[in-house]
Amino acid sequence: MSRQHWDAIVIGSGFGGSTVALKLAAAGIRVLVLERGRWVDRDDSAWDSRAIQIERKYKSDTPYEVDERWGREVAYPDDAVGGKSVFYGAASFRLRVEDFNHRDRFDPSETGGATPMDWPIGYDDLESFYCEAEHEIGVAGVAGADNTEPPRSADYPASPAPYGSSSRLIVKAAKKLGLNPFPMPLAINFEGASARQKCEMCMTCDLFPCRVCAKNDLAVTLLPKAQQHGAVVRDRAVAKRIVRSGNRVKKVECLDMETGDEFTVTCDLCVVSCGAIASAALLLASGFDQVEPNGRLIGRYLMRHCSGIVIGIFPFKTNPERQFHKQFAITDFYLGHPKRNPRGPWGMIQALQTPPPEFVRETAPYPQPVGWIGARTLPYHAYLLCMAEDLPQATNRVEIDRRRLDTFGSPIAQVFHKYCRRDLLARQALFREAARILRKARSLIRVRMPIHTYSHALGTVRFGSDPEQAVLDPWCRFFGTPNLFVVDGGFMPTSAGVNPSLTIAANGLRVGSYIAGNWDDVVGKDTV
């Protein structure tokens, strides 16, 4: 890469960064995508639980510190070109219409000091971009099957696979209880489209790269298309500092992870999309907390969903075919229940694949005999994921510790997060309903396990119309720095109750279209 000046630099290649890069490159804008991860290997190691989950082949060199049940712990995410899409479970939901009008949906007496904030845009502002995202990524679903699904102007581009035995078992039980389970919209190539191999219905999808590229992650869908339009992806490149001069970003100071050499690239526009935790850390390390009127809000209002798993243990094998079974979802309680607490929205229940036995054996949060027993009994398990909406609280935040540096000399991010009482009540309500479904399906034992990860980190640089309450304007432009945009999950002012990936992608397409269509106004005359 010889060019040192670019029209646009995009930091991060996840759902926000890839979609913006595609829109800008398609408009003829010279785009450099900086990604600290590498292109994953599409070989046998991709489906090797020991390599991916235990030895952590793609483990980041940059940890962050989190507060958990037993005190402060160090967490290491996975890094790859394509971001979290390479490892995610492909769930691709739209937010509901009600999710955009947040304040009216919660009883103030139950929020415990949390400060819900309405979105500065409505569902209609994103609807066409949801359609575009579903088609660009290749989402398989059934329109109209979800009884809380918002209006759509186009059908899904593909159909899901038929239910396997595990899904049929739970779906039948849920229907007997009067619920409305439906095929989960998934970014998986079940039909062999795009000249790529179709899904083999294997048991290694969630948390794994796909060896045959049947999971429609961004490294096999949007990024190659952006590259065809001229975008350049530089992997193994760390963005250490964004440099501002006057009120504009001028350059990004970087480090080549392979050689250890530092280098600088200048730009007319900078787009940050490192993930809600890493983007906040980068902005703080770059001094944007000193930028008026809103720098003090960087890192605040962190959300991650209040999620957990209910495990049903059955007297028979639930998935004798040993095939993919993350196939259905239940949203009957998405908006809550008229006669049960807590009042207001709860979230959703969905199928979850059982993990590989070696992963359970070595990582179960219990004494070793329990983990060993869990691994031996996995064929008799069925998992339901309960994903409750958590409320934005200013005290839930990302900070940086300038005294502790990672391998590349950047400050370590520190994450502080605690659920409010209302979050926990919503998860507890979903736990009860999931257990009821598993009981109806004839499970003998039901075990509840809270989830403590930050895989759905959201909200650290939220957008809004009021610069006193938000870091970004409604186009995700940093207030006070007109050529800086942030487009990962940090932009979301509320978490809603579904996987955020499709919403981040749709918003990235929206923001990318705006930037490309208003390029001269966005970059201004004061360029390098």
Side-chain angles (χ1 to χ4, degrees):
M1 186 191 74
S2 59
R3 181 182 296 127
Q4 294 303 311
H5 179 79
W6 298 81
D7 297 334
I9 294 175
V10 178
I11 306 173
S13 60
F15 285 102
S18 290
T19 48
V20 169
L22 174 60
K23 283 292 186 180
L24 298 185
I29 295 166
R30 296 177 303 169
V31 179
L32 172 65
V33 179
L34 297 171
E35 171 56 59
R36 65 186 303 135
R38 66 177 179 88
W39 297 89
V40 299
D41 299 322
R42 307 288 178 166
D43 56 17
D44 288 345
S45 70
W47 288 347
D48 185 333
S49 179
R50 178 159 295 278
I52 301 301
Q53 297 180 316
I54 299 170
E55 296 174 357
R56 300 290 306 282
K57 182 175 181 177
Y58 300 102
K59 178 181 175 181
S60 177
D61 293 299
T62 297
Y64 54 87
E65 189 181 76
V66 299
D67 53 339
E68 283 299 346
R69 294 168 294 172
W70 313 116
R72 302 295 291 174
E73 298 179 4
V74 176
Y76 289 85
D78 288 315
D79 289 337
V81 175
K84 297 298 184 289
S85 74
V86 175
F87 307 100
Y88 86 138
S92 302
F93 289 91
R94 299 183 178 202
L95 266 61
R96 319 289 109 157
V97 173
E98 295 85 353
D99 290 324
F100 295 83
N101 302 311
H102 197 270
R103 207 170 315 195
D104 297 336
R105 298 163 56 227
F106 289 88
D107 187 326
S109 66
E110 295 182 340
T111 57
T115 52
M117 186 177 80
D118 289 347
W119 288 49
I121 62 174
Y123 174 77
D124 290 344
D125 296 306
L126 271 185
E127 198 282 328
S128 65
F129 298 105
Y130 271 128
C131 292
E132 186 176 356
E134 289 167 347
H135 281 72
E136 289 286 359
I137 297 171
V139 178
V142 179
D146 175 0
N147 59 357
T148 66
E149 182 183 44
R152 55 167 54 244
S153 57
D155 201 349
Y156 286 103
S159 299
Y163 288 150
S165 57
S166 177
S167 295
R168 291 195 302 270
L169 172 71
I170 311 301
V171 165
K172 182 179 179 181
K175 288 183 176 179
K176 286 182 177 179
L177 292 171
L179 303 177
N180 184 53
F182 61 92
M184 191 186 312
L186 295 166
I188 296 177
N189 185 9
F190 292 115
E191 299 176 340
S194 306
R196 284 187 287 112
Q197 185 172 331
K198 70 178 182 179
C199 177
E200 296 183 4
M201 301 296 288
C202 72
M203 295 277 285
T204 47
C205 188
D206 227 335
L207 305 179
F208 292 85
C210 183
R211 181 173 64 83
V212 299
C213 299
K215 180 162 62 178
N216 297 335
D217 65 67
L218 304 174
V220 299
T221 53
L222 269 69
L223 280 172
K225 191 171 181 178
Q227 290 175 305
Q228 291 171 8
H229 287 294
V232 173
V233 178
R234 181 164 183 174
D235 65 341
R236 304 292 285 166
V238 176
K240 294 187 63 178
R241 184 167 173 261
I242 301 169
V243 180
R244 189 174 181 266
S245 178
N247 71 336
R248 291 183 176 273
V249 170
K250 293 295 186 179
K251 58 186 178 181
V252 181
E253 296 176 350
C254 310
L255 182 141
D256 186 310
M257 295 173 66
E258 298 292 344
T259 65
D261 295 334
E262 295 187 351
F263 65 96
T264 299
V265 283
T266 59
C267 60
D268 298 330
L269 175 86
C270 182
V271 179
V272 177
S273 186
C274 312
I277 293 174
S279 286
L282 176 60
L283 292 169
L284 291 170
S286 302
F288 281 87
D289 53 323
Q290 303 300 315
V291 175
E292 295 294 338
N294 48 25
R296 68 189 184 282
L297 295 180
I298 294 173
R300 298 284 174 173
Y301 301 104
L302 170 68
M303 299 164 288
R304 56 171 172 168
H305 286 136
C306 188
S307 300
I309 301 168
V310 180
I311 304 171
I313 304 176
F314 290 77
F316 50 83
K317 291 185 177 181
T318 56
N319 184 22
E321 304 94 338
R322 291 189 52 76
Q323 69 174 36
F324 177 79
H325 54 278
K326 181 180 176 179
Q327 293 183 289
F328 66 88
I330 298 169
T331 56
D332 294 79
F333 307 103
Y334 193 83
L335 302 177
H337 192 283
K339 298 181 180 179
R340 301 178 197 165
N341 289 327
R343 289 167 288 184
W346 294 357
M348 71 179 305
I349 299 170
Q350 66 180 49
L352 190 66
Q353 282 197 209
T354 53
E358 55 269 27
F359 177 76
V360 173
R361 189 163 47 244
E362 299 206 19
T363 64
Y366 302 107
Q368 186 60 30
V370 178
W372 182 85
I373 293 170
R376 292 294 297 269
T377 60
L378 273 177
Y380 302 89
H381 292 190
Y383 284 42
L384 288 179
L385 172 66
C386 299
M387 187 185 302
E389 178 170 1
D390 58 333
L391 295 173
Q393 303 177 75
T395 52
N396 288 340
R397 66 198 186 277
V398 175
E399 299 179 352
I400 57 172
D401 185 348
R402 296 185 182 275
R403 299 167 300 177
R404 299 176 58 202
L405 307 179
D406 67 7
T407 305
F408 314 112
S410 298
I412 296 291
Q414 294 181 302
V415 178
F416 301 88
H417 183 280
K418 291 189 182 299
Y419 293 116
C420 71
R421 180 173 179 271
R422 206 275 173 195
D423 300 337
L424 297 172
L425 288 174
R427 181 172 67 187
Q428 187 63 29
L430 290 173
F431 273 165
R432 287 195 301 269
E433 299 303 331
R436 196 162 65 101
I437 295 167
L438 291 170
R439 185 185 303 113
K440 191 68 173 178
R442 293 178 289 150
S443 66
L444 299 177
I445 302 171
R446 290 156 296 281
V447 180
R448 305 178 185 192
M449 292 179 55
I451 292 175
H452 298 281
T453 68
Y454 285 83
S455 56
H456 290 183
L458 305 165
T460 55
V461 283
R462 64 182 187 177
F463 77 159
S465 301
D466 182 0
E468 294 298 320
Q469 301 294 323
V471 178
L472 311 174
D473 75 6
W475 291 107
C476 292
R477 174 170 35 204
F478 195 96
F479 279 118
T481 308
N483 69 334
L484 174 64
F485 292 73
V486 186
V487 294
D488 53 45
F491 90 93
M492 293 175 63
T494 60
S495 69
V498 297
N499 182 297
S501 59
L502 191 71
T503 297
I504 298 169
N507 182 66
L509 293 170
R510 181 185 74 97
V511 173
S513 296
Y514 168 77
I515 296 172
N518 298 274
W519 179 256
D520 290 341
D521 291 336
V522 170
V523 301
K525 296 180 180 180
D526 182 21
T527 57
V528 176

